[in-house]
Amino acid sequence: MSGPTTLARSEADAFERGLFKQQTLTTVRYADPVAWIVATAAVRAFGAAHDAVVAAGDRVGVVVTSARGPVETMAWVATAARDGFSSPLRYPATNPGSLAGVTCIALGLRGPTLVLTMPPEQGARLGLVLGERWIARGDVLLALVATCWEPSPGKQAARCMLVGAGAGGPPVDAATDGAWLAALDARSVRA
């Protein structure tokens, strides 16, 4: 069996509501903006590899790396608590796991998930290795490996790669692909 290949790459620097079903938007109404940016990048990658995604069904795993997690929602909850009331409905969105969870809910994914709370420069390669191992063990057929970062104060961006076993794209190279995911070649998504 040949090693994992890159099926799609994508990036996003904004949440694109039009890519998601209204039911999903209603169900996940308190998600952090960066979680939606990761989900937007994932939808784009899935669209570029539609046939492979359909064939994989529920066997898609997700690994997300973020240095800071869902900071906007954490700040909102902290401020609301300090002011005397914080809605418990917002608490799940403060968990770093929500950065992968929103993508899973929005796309109906059921595979393993992991969020690495570390700088993308450190976590991107690790995320790729973990995704490759999930594929090699047969845990998943595809792995979505994503990173999110802050290209400028208050601005969030995400990149992701969809990798799978066998033919379909160029072989995954943890060093080169990890550098791209970590945005080491360009700190903003759009020039």
Side-chain angles (χ1 to χ4, degrees):
M1 178 174 138
S2 62
T5 61
T6 302
L7 302 176
R9 288 179 177 215
S10 65
E11 52 189 22
D13 63 359
F15 168 36
E16 294 181 32
R17 297 180 72 83
L19 296 177
F20 301 93
K21 295 177 183 173
Q22 183 58 44
Q23 180 181 359
T24 300
L25 297 171
T26 302
T27 302
V28 191
R29 63 183 178 261
Y30 295 120
D32 193 87
V34 74
W36 280 116
I37 292 170
V38 172
T40 297
V43 167
R44 290 178 179 170
F46 278 35
H50 181 265
D51 293 343
V53 172
V54 169
D58 287 345
R59 298 188 61 204
V60 179
V62 178
V63 180
V64 178
T65 300
S66 171
R68 298 179 52 205
V71 294
E72 187 173 314
T73 301
M74 289 187 297
W76 188 94
V77 168
T79 299
R82 203 172 30 255
D83 292 344
F85 178 77
S86 181
S87 170
L89 293 174
R90 293 195 185 252
Y91 292 162
T94 65
N95 183 317
S98 68
L99 299 182
V102 169
T103 295
C104 292
I105 292 167
L107 299 176
L109 305 178
R110 305 277 185 266
T113 62
L114 181 64
V115 174
L116 303 169
T117 50
M118 59 177 46
E121 294 86 354
Q122 297 170 8
R125 288 180 184 97
L126 177 58
L128 283 168
V129 169
L130 291 168
E132 290 175 17
R133 295 225 172 115
W134 287 347
I135 291 167
R137 283 195 321 240
D139 297 333
V140 298
L141 296 175
L142 302 175
L144 180 77
V145 181
T147 57
C148 45
W149 75 97
E150 192 173 38
S152 61
K155 183 73 172 167
Q156 299 289 328
R159 283 188 171 173
C160 68
M161 288 181 58
L162 185 63
V163 299
V172 173
D173 179 300
T176 303
D177 293 329
W180 180 82
L181 277 168
L184 294 174
D185 57 342
R187 274 294 173 189
S188 68
V189 174
R190 295 181 186 155

